[in-house]
Every structure is written in C-alpha cells, then in structure tokens.
Amino acid sequence: MSLLSVTDLSVSINGTPLLEKVSFALQPGEIFGLVGESGSGKSLTALALMGLLPEGAVTTGHAELEGLDLLNQTERAMCGLRGNRIGMIFQEPMTALNPLMTIGDQVAETLMVHRALPRAEALAIAREKLDRVGLPEPRFGLGLFPHELSGGQRQRVAIALAIALKPALLIADEPTTALDVMTQAQILGLLRGLVEDEGMGLLLITHDLAVVAGLANTTSVMQTGRIVEQGPTEALFRARKHPYTAALFAASAHQPTRIDIGLSVPLLEVDRALRAYTLARPSAFAPRPVLHAVDGVSFTLHQRESLGLVGSSGCGKSTLTRAILGLDSLQGGEIRLSGTRVGPKLPNALRAGMQVVFQDPYGSFNPRWRVDRLVAEPFHLLPKAPADWRDRVAEALVEVGLHPDDRRKYIHEFSGGQRQRIAIARALITRPDLIVLDEAVSALDVRIRAQVLDLLASLRRSHGLAYLFISHDLSVVRAITDRVLVMEAGRIVEEGPTEALFAAPQHEVTRRLVAATPQIPAAWMEPQT
C-alpha cells in the first residue's frame, strides 16, 4: 500500500476550478518531485492535503495517507495529524516561525501538544532534533530567537520542527529558493538523509528542475492545475513528451545573447573598502570581537559591463552592496561612481545615475500607490520632475514588456514576473548608467526568469547599461555576466571572465560553490529524436 495515494483531486474556490483530477502516489522512503510554474497548483495541492484551504474551497476526489482519507476529516482530526503524521516545511521560514518564541520552545511545542510531554522532556528532544539538522550546542542554544539566525539556519529550525514527531509524510514547499548554493546543498542533503534514516516519504515542491533532478525518484509536472506528465525522474527528463515539460527544460537551459563591450572606461571603482562591526562580548570581561564584513575589497566595473558578485550567506555581499548604494559609510577605503566618492551624502544627481532592483519587488513597493507613481518615484532625485513624466512612465513600461495602461493599476494586480518588470522600469526611469540587481530573479519560475534575463540583456544593449549582478544562483550569473567576483569572509578571493572562472575555478571557495550548484545531467538534456 502506498504511503500517500491521491486520486482525482479537484479543488475550486468560489466556483473557480484550480485543481483538476490530480492523481499520484508516494511510497515510504521515496522522494516525489512536484514541479511547475507559479499558479500551476503545486502549493494548492499541498494545502489541500494539509486541510488548509481557504473559505469557499470545494474539494472532491480522494487523498489517502496510510489508508486514511485526508479530505473527509474534521478540523479536530486534522489538527491531530498536522505536525504528527504530516510535517510541512514552508518556503519562507521567517514567516513560518514565531518571532516571539525561542527556537527550542517552538520545536518543543509540537511534542507538548501531540504527546503531552513535560516541557523539560520536550526541550531535551528538541535539542536532539536541532542537533540532527546541524544546529548543535553551544553555538545554537535553545534560547535563540529566529531573528538571531541566518536564512539557512532558520530553515533548519523549520525542518527540526517538521520532523520532531517523525512524520510519515514530509511536505517541503520550495525549501531552498532563497538560499545560497552552499546552504541549499546542505539542506537538500539533510532532507535526503532524513528520508533514508527515518523512512518517511518526501513530497518536494519546487520550480527548480536541477534540484528535482538531483533528489527526486519520481516527478510530476503540473500546469494550470493538472498533471501533464509523470514518471521516474530520469525517464521523464530524458523524454520530455509534453510540450510544457519541453518548454520548462528549454527555459532552464536558456542563455541570453551576449554583447561585446570592447574597451570601456571605469564607471564604479571600489578601492580597499573596509566595513567592520563590533560584536557583543562573549563574557563580561572579554574584549569585544570585531567582524570584518568587508575587508579591503577592490574592483572596477566598467561602462556597459555586467559584473557578477557571488558568495555564500555571510560573505559580505549585502554589506558591500549597501556601501556601493551609499546607504552605509565605509571605515576605510573609498567607492567612486563616475569619479565622485560615494557615501550617504551622495548628491541626488549622481544617485540618479545608479539605481537598484531588489529581490522582492512586492516588498519594495508602496501597495497604496498606483504603478505610475511607483515607477516615477526616482524622479525626486532630479532638480525638477519632467513635465512629460507620465509619458516617460508609459515608455518605460513598454520597454519592459508591459502595456501603458498598466500604470493605472496597483501592484497587487500583477504576477511576480510582472512586478519584477515594473521594478526594472522604475530603475530605468532616470536613465542610469548602472543598475544594481540584488537577487533580482532568484524567486522567479524558469520561464519567467528566462524572459527577464532576455529583457536585461536587451536593455543593456539599447541603453548602454552596466550591471552589478548579485546572486546566489550561479547558473544565472553564468548566463548574464561578463566577469565574476567571488567573495568570502569579506574579501574577493577570485575574479575573472565568467566562462573561464566557471570552467576552471582556482580558489577552493569557488570550486565548492561550483560543485554545490544543482545541475541537470548533460545526458538528460540531449535533444530527443
């Protein structure tokens, strides 16, 4: 008997069909991949299995866990199953964890609720689970709060919480999307080890085909609420029988057209930049330790050049980026944009020449403003907003592949890919020389990501733009940049032309990053005849 058997699962919300006759089976000790783009129904499938659908949802079909039909259980019965027989790891651990509770109490809470264990005993088991996921004492005490941990460490806490009671089924919904490649490799290895050691079944939901290729035994491809192709992962990846599956693979392997920048002049110059922080004392009489977040970094970005900056979480990328944008002061060295020193008091006219596109476009916009005001926001850097600002906004929207009438809408009316296009339009509006792209495509589906990368390449050609492309996704960096800087412990440890660096990395850090990057085996990508 299958661990999980889903048959003809259909879901509609307020009369709108969203899932249609979804069927698949998951065995104990199996990793089952569910892939597709945003809106395909992947997360909705998981929420239906967990009994967490919103009001107005109507569900038909069957979903049996160890012979128990999950779709016909009362809420009280589902409360007894969630966290007990079914564990779930959400995409964003910071929102999944309670910011007011320590990590020890959050893991222990599951044990106290489902097993009625005394708090001391529950905390002892919580300690074991945190050790199991790679958060050992004394560095990771039970009294730490989520905000005191990195993204990868918070995700480990979420995994410890999900496996506290050794569930039969573990659902992981995009568990590594926002993580750097080193942390991602560790989390994926941890999930694989848990399946092997505990014998649980893992339902892995992701849009990353390379992650599925390296982990899943069986894969289903979802499109608009339906499973369009399903089978053993290698066989499915090699065959790619359905046009949608083939389109996902084509987008995953897509490379934007490169341009030759030729000889160019320096635009951004970073000279021996230094930024350090004084940390809390480890004990009452110990000296305060100093963290050198940026430790003597030097590099030059030329006009019309696309430069990648990569490294693991905590390497100093974000601190360096804030200094480049003039949001933080340096304690040594200097940063120059077009020959003018960059700092918190950077003149508005020069600041207008350097714009930024953030990882989360929705979080970087005021939801109460219409798109025309959002895109026109950087005009405040100019002595006077142009009289034709509305026409300039419409022109910018057209350049990024949107309609001029979209300027009358609110940001919540757009998809994730469209929001990122609006963020790029906002960055273009002042005609900058440099755009800093901070994880600008990491959360996008493969087809939307390919479209945005093509858009960036096209805008670079037409506007003569230079990019500083900061990302943990090395495959994206390889596709979009001319040169790459590798950062570790506040320093640039390797730099060079993109293809040369990826083909023959010299520094151990670079070799580890390249080795940790998920890849679909080349043989699986060969054209089908």
Side-chain angles (χ1 to χ4, degrees):
M1 183 177 69
S2 299
L3 169 65
L4 176 68
S5 177
V6 178
T7 307
D8 293 338
L9 172 62
S10 298
V11 174
S12 63
I13 298 180
N14 295 325
T16 302
L18 298 175
L19 290 183
E20 185 174 347
K21 295 191 174 183
V22 171
S23 299
F24 62 89
L26 174 61
Q27 308 299 325
E30 180 186 11
I31 300 176
F32 188 96
L34 192 57
V35 301
E37 296 174 294
S38 294
S40 64
K42 306 186 304 296
S43 295
L44 191 66
T45 300
L47 294 176
L49 298 177
M50 295 286 288
L52 296 176
L53 293 173
E55 288 188 28
V58 176
T59 306
T60 60
H62 300 279
E64 295 185 354
L65 177 68
E66 299 176 317
L68 180 68
D69 194 342
L70 298 174
L71 305 184
N72 292 316
Q73 301 300 309
T74 64
E75 176 60 19
R76 183 180 182 87
M78 288 304 300
C79 285
L81 290 171
R82 298 186 200 112
N84 188 2
R85 301 305 296 156
I86 311 174
M88 186 159 183
I89 306 166
F90 294 93
Q91 179 174 354
E92 177 45 65
M94 193 59 182
T95 56
L97 297 174
N98 188 331
L100 302 180
M101 291 178 65
T102 65
I103 61 174
D105 281 339
Q106 295 196 55
V107 178
E109 183 181 37
T110 301
L111 297 155
M112 295 165 66
V113 168
H114 288 287
R115 298 281 173 83
L117 295 180
R119 184 170 183 271
E121 186 177 346
L123 286 172
I125 297 176
R127 179 68 272 163
E128 294 175 8
K129 296 302 179 182
L130 290 170
D131 290 344
R132 175 69 181 84
V133 299
L135 298 176
E137 284 190 305
R139 184 180 175 189
F140 301 101
L142 297 178
L144 291 175
F145 287 88
H147 72 270
E148 298 179 273
L149 304 175
S150 69
Q153 291 162 357
R154 287 194 289 264
Q155 194 64 289
R156 290 171 185 267
V157 174
I159 294 173
L161 198 156
I163 66 168
L165 290 169
K166 296 184 179 180
L169 172 65
L170 182 61
I171 302 174
D173 189 0
E174 299 281 9
T176 62
T177 296
L179 304 180
D180 65 77
V181 290
M182 297 292 289
T183 305
Q184 176 179 257
Q186 294 167 6
I187 294 296
L188 294 176
L190 171 61
L191 292 174
R192 182 188 291 109
L194 288 169
V195 170
E196 294 172 353
D197 297 343
E198 308 288 346
M200 63 181 66
L202 173 61
L203 177 59
L204 177 65
I205 298 170
T206 182
H207 64 256
D208 193 327
L209 296 176
V211 167
V212 171
L215 206 64
N217 310 108
T218 307
T219 298
S220 285
V221 181
M222 288 196 79
Q223 181 187 24
T224 59
R226 299 180 181 182
I227 290 180
V228 296
E229 193 166 358
Q230 184 171 266
T233 301
E234 181 177 352
L236 184 146
F237 276 38
R238 285 180 179 273
R240 306 190 289 280
K241 294 179 180 179
H242 195 276
Y244 179 70
T245 309
L248 290 180
F249 268 80
S252 181
H254 180 72
Q255 297 281 336
T257 304
R258 293 188 176 275
I259 65 172
D260 183 10
I261 63 170
L263 297 176
S264 56
V265 299
L267 174 62
L268 176 71
E269 299 169 276
V270 179
D271 183 19
R272 293 170 292 178
L274 178 65
R275 186 75 169 94
Y277 298 95
T278 302
L279 305 179
R281 299 178 190 273
S283 61
F285 301 103
R288 288 181 177 272
V290 176
L291 171 66
H292 293 279
V294 178
D295 191 5
V297 169
S298 297
F299 67 86
T300 299
L301 170 62
H302 299 87
Q303 290 180 359
R304 303 178 66 240
E305 183 182 22
S306 179
L307 180 65
L309 179 62
V310 302
S312 301
S313 295
C315 71
K317 300 191 306 294
S318 297
T319 302
L320 178 59
T321 303
R322 289 182 60 83
I324 289 172
L325 293 171
L327 301 177
D328 279 348
S329 299
L330 292 176
Q331 293 156 325
E334 66 177 16
I335 299 172
R336 297 180 296 274
L337 179 66
S338 299
T340 300
R341 187 166 184 167
V342 172
K345 295 183 179 180
L346 186 68
N348 281 348
L350 193 62
R351 193 180 292 278
M354 177 171 56
Q355 294 295 298
V356 61
V357 177
F358 296 100
Q359 177 177 358
D360 178 12
Y362 192 72
S364 67
F365 288 131
N366 187 331
R368 294 182 176 86
W369 290 0
R370 295 183 188 272
V371 165
D372 57 356
R373 188 176 177 186
L374 293 173
V375 174
E377 187 178 9
F379 281 142
H380 81 276
L381 297 171
L382 305 181
K384 184 179 180 181
D388 63 342
W389 70 270
R390 286 186 173 84
D391 293 334
R392 294 268 292 269
V393 168
E395 179 185 343
L397 290 175
V398 170
E399 282 190 301
V400 299
L402 297 174
H403 195 278
D405 290 344
D406 287 334
R407 66 183 187 270
R408 301 188 182 93
K409 298 179 181 178
Y410 290 94
I411 197 66
H412 71 266
E413 298 179 71
F414 297 89
S415 68
Q418 291 170 328
R419 290 171 188 162
Q420 200 61 289
R421 289 173 182 267
I422 294 169
I424 295 170
R426 179 175 63 179
L428 286 172
I429 200 70
T430 57
R431 306 287 195 268
D433 298 311
L434 169 64
I435 295 181
V436 178
L437 298 137
D438 187 6
E439 300 284 7
V441 298
S442 64
L444 302 180
D445 301 319
V446 287
R447 291 207 298 180
I448 302 300
R449 183 180 68 185
Q451 294 168 11
V452 172
L453 291 178
D454 276 340
L455 170 63
L456 291 172
S458 173
L459 292 172
R460 184 180 165 209
R461 287 192 297 270
S462 60
H463 290 275
L465 292 169
Y467 294 144
L468 178 58
F469 202 95
I470 302 156
S471 179
H472 66 255
D473 190 331
L474 270 64
S475 62
V476 170
V477 171
R478 191 170 190 172
I480 198 71
T481 63
D482 305 308
R483 281 192 305 131
V484 177
L485 308 174
V486 181
M487 198 167 182
E488 174 72 8
R491 298 181 179 183
I492 303 298
V493 297
E494 187 171 357
E495 63 177 289
T498 301
E499 281 306 315
L501 185 142
F502 276 89
Q506 300 300 308
H507 197 278
E508 178 60 27
V509 169
T510 312
R511 288 197 290 267
R512 290 203 306 266
L513 288 172
V514 172
T517 303
Q519 293 183 345
I520 302 173
W524 297 12
M525 298 291 288
E526 293 176 358
Q528 300 302 301
T529 57

